[in-house]
Amino acid sequence: MIPEKKRSIAIMKELSIENTKQMLMINGANTKNPLLLFLHGGPGTPQIGYVRHYQKELEEHFTVVHWDQRGSGLSYSKRISHHSMTISHFVNDAIQVTQWLLDHFSKTKLYLAGHSWGSLLALHVLRQRPDLFYAYYGISQVVNPHLEESAAYQYIREISDRKRASIRSSLIRFIGAPPWKKGIQQLIYRFCVEMGRGGLTHHHHQSLAVLFQMLTGHEYGIRNMHKFLNGLRFSKKHLTKELYQFNAFASVPSIKVPCFFISGKHDLIVPSEISKQYYQALEAPEKFWFQFENSAHNPHIEEPSLFASTLSNHALYHL
C-alpha cells in the first residue's frame, strides 16, 4: 500500500465576518494534522508579523492558524465601528473562524490556544462552544487584571526596596499601588516591569528579535507597521475597560474540555501565582499546569521547542 503523500500548507486567507475583513495565516507540514487556532494577546497585538520564525517545530505536528482579530494588524480598518469592539463580538468572531476552519479542512474539532488577552477570549469561547474543541492551551492565562497588577506591583516593590537607590525603586514608589487613574502611571509601571525582566520577554534581546522579524518579514514588513500601530491604539482604546472588568473566577468557573495552562516563571504582566490559583479552582475533565523556567510573558516565543513538545505530547492521540 502506497503511503498517503503529505500536503503542506502556507497561505494567507481573508475572511468576511460581520462586514469586516479579517486575516488568517495558516501553516503546517501536513494538512492531515489537527488544527491549532491561536487567539493572540493585546488587546491589539497580533502575531502574524513574526510568529512563523518561532513555530517551525510546531508546524510539524499541527496545522497552525493565526488570526489578526477585529481591528488588529492586517484586520484593522478605519471603517470598523467602535461599537463592535466588544468581547461579545470578538467571541462570536472566534467561533465563526473556528467553524470556517472545521468546514474548510473537513475536521470535527480543533485545538485552541489563547495567549494573554486571547486567553480571556478563549475562556468565553470555550464556555459557549466546548463541542468545537479537543482541548485548550492557556498561555499566560488572564484571570483578573486587578489581582495580576497588584501581585506584580507588590513583587516589584519588594525587590526595589532592597535597592533603595535604584531608579526603579523611586519610580515604583512615585506611582503608588494600583489601580491607577492616570496613563502616565500605567506607562511607568510597564517600564518597571520591563526593567525587572518580567515583561514581554525575560531577555530583552528576544523582544528586539521579535521587532526585527516584524520589520523584515514578508507578512508585515515596514509597509504594514502603520496598520499594526493603528490597530494597537484602536483596540486598547475600546477594549481596555472591558478587559479590567474580567474575573474568570466568577465568570468561567468550569470548562468542559481538557485544559493546559502554560506560564513563564518570570512573567510580571500576568503573574503565574494568579493563573495557578485559577487552575486550581477550575472544574475541568482534565487540567495540567506547566511553568517554563526561562520565560516571562511569551513562553511560546521564548522557549518554542519546549512549547511544541508540550503540546504535541498531549495531542499525540490525534496526530
Side-chain angles (χ1 to χ4, degrees):
M1 183 175 179
I2 300 174
E4 187 174 356
K5 187 178 180 180
K6 290 183 178 180
R7 186 164 69 89
S8 63
I9 187 170
I11 65 170
M12 301 288 286
K13 173 67 178 178
E14 190 175 72
L15 296 186
S16 180
I17 302 175
E18 287 189 357
N19 298 316
T20 66
K21 300 295 184 182
Q22 301 189 27
M23 186 64 72
L24 303 181
M25 181 178 74
I26 307 172
N27 302 95
N30 185 0
T31 53
K32 294 297 182 182
N33 284 337
L35 292 161
L36 173 65
L37 172 61
F38 262 88
L39 306 185
H40 68 69
T45 54
Q47 301 184 120
I48 284 178
Y50 62 86
V51 74
R52 282 213 74 195
H53 183 73
Y54 302 96
Q55 66 175 39
K56 297 300 183 184
E57 188 175 338
L58 196 64
E59 290 177 18
E60 293 296 321
H61 305 288
F62 299 91
T63 298
V64 186
V65 183
H66 291 278
W67 159 47
D68 277 13
Q69 297 161 16
R70 173 186 298 259
S72 298
L74 300 177
S75 300
Y76 171 76
S77 168
K78 292 180 180 179
R79 294 187 293 273
I80 295 175
S81 168
H82 70 271
H83 296 296
S84 74
M85 297 294 286
T86 65
I87 287 175
S88 177
H89 273 93
F90 278 61
V91 171
N92 289 335
D93 289 350
I95 291 172
Q96 288 195 52
V97 168
T98 299
Q99 290 175 322
W100 181 87
L101 288 167
L102 295 176
D103 289 343
H104 184 77
F105 288 94
S106 300
K107 306 283 190 182
T108 56
K109 295 185 180 185
L110 56 75
Y111 289 95
L112 183 65
H115 173 238
S116 195
W117 154 261
S119 71
L120 177 160
L121 297 178
L123 294 188
H124 286 295
V125 171
L126 291 161
R127 191 78 166 148
Q128 288 191 29
R129 294 298 307 271
D131 56 300
L132 299 177
F133 305 100
Y134 289 123
Y136 169 57
Y137 305 110
I139 310 159
S140 306
Q141 179 68 53
V142 171
V143 175
N144 182 317
H146 290 293
L147 290 179
E148 288 151 5
E149 282 189 347
S150 294
Y153 175 86
Q154 186 60 36
Y155 175 82
I156 295 170
R157 177 70 184 266
E158 290 173 0
I159 296 298
S160 299
D161 282 350
R162 298 173 193 166
K163 303 176 182 179
R164 293 184 179 275
S166 71
I167 295 175
R168 187 171 57 172
S169 177
S170 300
L171 290 173
I172 208 72
R173 286 174 171 275
F174 172 73
I175 64 173
W180 300 292
K181 296 181 179 180
K182 297 180 180 179
I184 187 64
Q185 292 173 302
Q186 184 70 238
L187 285 173
I188 291 172
Y189 163 72
R190 288 302 298 269
F191 175 72
C192 291
V193 166
E194 293 296 334
M195 284 180 65
R197 298 176 68 187
L200 295 177
T201 59
H202 182 46
H203 300 288
H204 296 150
H205 69 84
Q206 290 178 312
S207 293
L208 294 174
V210 166
L211 178 60
F212 177 79
Q213 293 296 328
M214 288 185 68
L215 292 173
T216 60
H218 68 271
E219 294 88 359
Y220 268 46
I222 295 174
R223 71 191 182 283
N224 282 317
M225 285 304 293
H226 72 284
K227 297 192 76 171
F228 176 85
L229 295 172
N230 287 337
L232 178 60
R233 285 191 292 266
F234 180 64
S235 300
K236 287 191 177 298
K237 179 179 179 180
H238 297 295
L239 292 165
T240 297
K241 182 178 179 181
E242 201 172 4
L243 165 64
Y244 276 87
Q245 294 171 346
F246 182 65
N247 180 356
F249 291 108
S251 60
V252 192
S254 64
I255 297 174
K256 294 181 179 179
V257 304
C259 298
F260 295 73
F261 295 97
I262 299 171
S263 182
K265 178 180 179 180
H266 306 281
D267 192 356
L268 291 177
I269 296 176
V270 179
S272 60
E273 63 187 88
I274 307 300
S275 300
K276 194 165 189 179
Q277 288 173 19
Y278 177 68
Y279 151 77
Q280 292 169 335
L282 179 70
E283 294 182 17
E286 289 182 294
K287 57 182 182 178
F288 302 90
W289 176 264
F290 299 92
Q291 181 169 275
F292 284 21
E293 296 296 314
N294 297 306
S295 296
H297 191 56
N298 284 274
H300 60 300
I301 299 300
E302 298 175 85
E303 298 181 74
S305 292
L306 178 58
F307 180 75
S309 64
T310 299
L311 268 59
S312 61
N313 286 341
H314 162 255
L316 192 61
Y317 176 77
H318 298 112
L319 297 178

